[in-house]
Every structure is written in structure tokens, then in C-alpha cells.
Amino acid sequence: MDPSKPILCVLDASSYVGFWVTKGLLSKGYPVHAAVQNTDIMDYQSILVALKGCSGLFCCMDTHHVYDEKMVDLEVRGTINVVEACAQTDSVEKIVFTSSLTAAVWRENILSEKDVDERCWSDKEFCRKMKLWYPLAKTLSEQAAWALAMDRRLKMVSINAGLVLGPAVAEENSGSTISYLKGAAQMYENGVLAVVDVKFLVDVHIRAMEDSSTGGRYFCFDQIVNSEEETVKLANILRPLISLPQRYEVQGKEAFAERLRTRKLHKLIEGTA
């Protein structure tokens, strides 16, 4: 550990992204409080204990199960407790909040949008109507975090990640992966189905914490899946969560227009290189 570096907290360090963020911080010499969610993510006092002495928090809330309507409320309430706990400390200066691209892309008239960027939010009523519980949980949680952070004057950055890929992701992050991919065909056709390698995602998280100029939302992905060939590659990566017929052959090379924009992410990467 580098004694000159500040103590940082990762919650939930047992989630797929939280584990890799923790690993990335340790490799850079940061002392880390790795807080693990057991049965109750709303245990306010336990959150305060985990945050003691920390100057920053990585909030990586994800369930290990497939998202349902009940999980939406649990994640929102857990998020509120975490942000409120940060506000009650004397040490926490910044929150890096892991969100999702699905908190920005879902709406009934998505085809009327020329670009989808950090100013966009998913339509909550549309998500409820279509039972898109993962996007709804991410939208409501992120909005609650922003409202409370602004009210408590906490500095916060949200990282809106694409579908996370990485080592053993199909086995270790199956619930979130399946939940993210509900409605995948519509995202694909609308040019907003994107993926991100977990190691790149971790790098962006750490840069966002270290760079004092960061603020607001950052879309984070390294590829848009918009052709049949890329879809087949994704399916093979996610086996056995997604299965293709044996000897499946790509039928065409048509690609859908890419609709997502990452200007802010490019500035962050270039500015901290």
C-alpha cells in the first residue's frame, strides 16, 4: 500500500464490477475498505462503519439475481442510504456511482432521437409498462443518487456502463447480464446495444475518482453491437447464457446506425492519459 494515497471504499465489493474496481485500486496501491453486501443493503450503520476514514466511495450496487420489480425498490432504497451515509461523514469528498446505459436509452420514441448522450434518461413509465426492471432500477437509483448528492452538496460522477464483459462474466454476473439483455433486439436495431470490457470500465472509474475536474454523467462502452457478426461474437462470449444453433452462419453484413455518443468519455481519457 502507498501511505500517501487516500483510503477509498468500494460498496458492493462482492458485485462483479465492485470486485474488479477493488482489484484495480489495490494494484495501484490504494488502501481500500471493501464493503460486502450480505442480506441487507439498507443497513445504514454498517455503511457508516465502512466509510470511516475514506475520502471517496465507489458505489457499485448490483444484485446477483435476475432483476424483478421487488429489486427495483431495494436498490433505490439502498442507494439513498449509501449517499446519505456519505453526507454524514466528514471525510468522503467524492462518489463515483456505477450506473448503466440502460438508464438512458429506453423510451417509446427512441427512433426519433438522432443521438443518445449523457443528457438522455430512460422513460420510467415505459420501463414499467414493458417490465424492464433492470433499466428501471438503474434509472430510479441514479436519479435518487443525483437528487440527494446535489441536496447534500456532495461531488458525484456517474459511469453509465454498457453491458459488462470480462473474465467468467457469464458465470459470475449472470443475473445482471440476463437482466441487461432484456429487450436486446430493440436495443440492437436502434443502435444502442453497447458492451464494455470490465478492465476498461475499472480504469474509467479510477480516472473519474482521481481527476478533480470530473462531474456529471459519463457513458462508458468500447463497442456498439450493430451487426449480425458482432451479435454472434457476443452470444459466443456469453455462452451458456445465450445459445445459438450449432453451425450458425452469419447471413448478412448489414449494420445498424450507431446512436450512442461518448464525447465526455474521450475528454476524460485524453485528459488523464
Side-chain angles (χ1 to χ4, degrees):
M1 296 300 166
D2 185 342
S4 68
K5 292 198 171 187
I7 302 171
L8 299 171
C9 180
V10 181
L11 191 164
D12 172 12
S14 71
S15 68
Y16 188 77
V17 173
F19 167 80
W20 284 98
V21 169
T22 302
K23 189 173 180 178
L25 290 169
L26 291 172
S27 72
K28 286 179 170 285
Y30 281 98
V32 179
H33 288 186
V36 176
Q37 168 188 328
N38 291 321
T39 57
D40 188 358
I41 59 174
M42 282 86 63
D43 186 349
Y44 182 77
Q45 294 302 320
S46 294
I47 297 168
L48 283 174
V49 171
L51 291 173
K52 189 174 181 181
C54 295
S55 68
L57 167 71
F58 292 91
C59 185
C60 309
M61 304 262 276
D62 245 347
T63 178
H64 295 282
H65 308 289
V66 175
Y67 273 69
D68 57 18
E69 190 171 9
K70 181 181 177 183
M71 273 307 308
V72 175
D73 181 58
L74 286 173
E75 191 158 307
V76 172
R77 285 192 286 154
T79 296
I80 290 171
N81 269 12
V82 169
V83 178
E84 182 60 45
C86 288
Q88 298 305 314
T89 71
D90 295 324
S91 59
V92 174
E93 299 172 356
K94 192 174 191 179
I95 300 170
V96 174
F97 187 87
T98 309
S99 187
S100 170
L101 283 176
T102 62
V105 302
W106 280 106
R107 61 186 59 80
E108 200 137 15
N109 63 339
I110 190 170
L111 286 174
S112 68
E113 300 276 350
K114 185 176 181 181
D115 288 342
V116 180
D117 61 20
E118 288 87 353
R119 296 168 293 182
C120 300
W121 288 95
S122 289
D123 184 317
K124 297 185 286 289
E125 292 310 313
F126 179 74
C127 290
R128 283 193 181 93
K129 182 174 76 172
M130 303 304 293
K131 295 182 171 24
L132 296 166
W133 303 126
Y134 183 87
L136 182 61
K138 298 306 174 185
T139 303
L140 289 172
S141 295
E142 188 189 345
Q143 288 181 339
W146 276 118
L148 194 53
M150 287 188 284
D151 183 67
R152 301 293 190 269
R153 297 184 178 181
L154 284 167
K155 188 167 188 180
M156 190 175 106
V157 174
S158 69
I159 309 297
N160 294 74
L163 177 67
V164 180
L165 303 180
V169 70
E171 295 81 13
E172 296 176 10
N173 200 36
S174 59
S176 290
T177 301
I178 291 169
S179 300
Y180 189 111
L181 286 172
K182 184 172 184 182
Q186 292 95 322
M187 288 191 284
Y188 168 69
E189 291 169 5
N190 292 328
V192 294
L193 178 60
V195 298
V196 61
D197 181 82
V198 71
K199 293 179 182 178
F200 176 65
L201 180 61
V202 167
D203 182 55
V204 170
H205 274 69
I206 296 174
R207 287 172 188 254
M209 179 64 77
E210 292 176 336
D211 187 341
S212 60
S213 70
T214 54
R217 308 171 86 200
Y218 290 80
F219 281 7
C220 185
F221 59 91
D222 43 25
Q223 184 183 10
I224 295 177
V225 179
N226 65 338
S227 70
E228 189 180 358
E229 184 178 1
E230 289 163 358
T231 305
V232 171
K233 287 180 183 176
L234 178 60
N236 287 328
I237 290 170
L238 294 177
R239 287 176 185 259
L241 294 181
I242 299 176
S243 58
L244 291 172
Q246 286 188 342
R247 299 179 182 176
Y248 180 87
E249 293 183 4
V250 175
Q251 303 299 312
K253 294 186 177 181
E254 179 188 2
F256 292 97
E258 297 182 1
R259 304 278 309 290
L260 296 167
R261 298 293 174 261
T262 56
R263 295 182 187 93
K264 284 187 70 179
L265 180 67
H266 293 153
K267 288 181 180 178
L268 173 62
I269 298 299
E270 291 166 4
T272 57

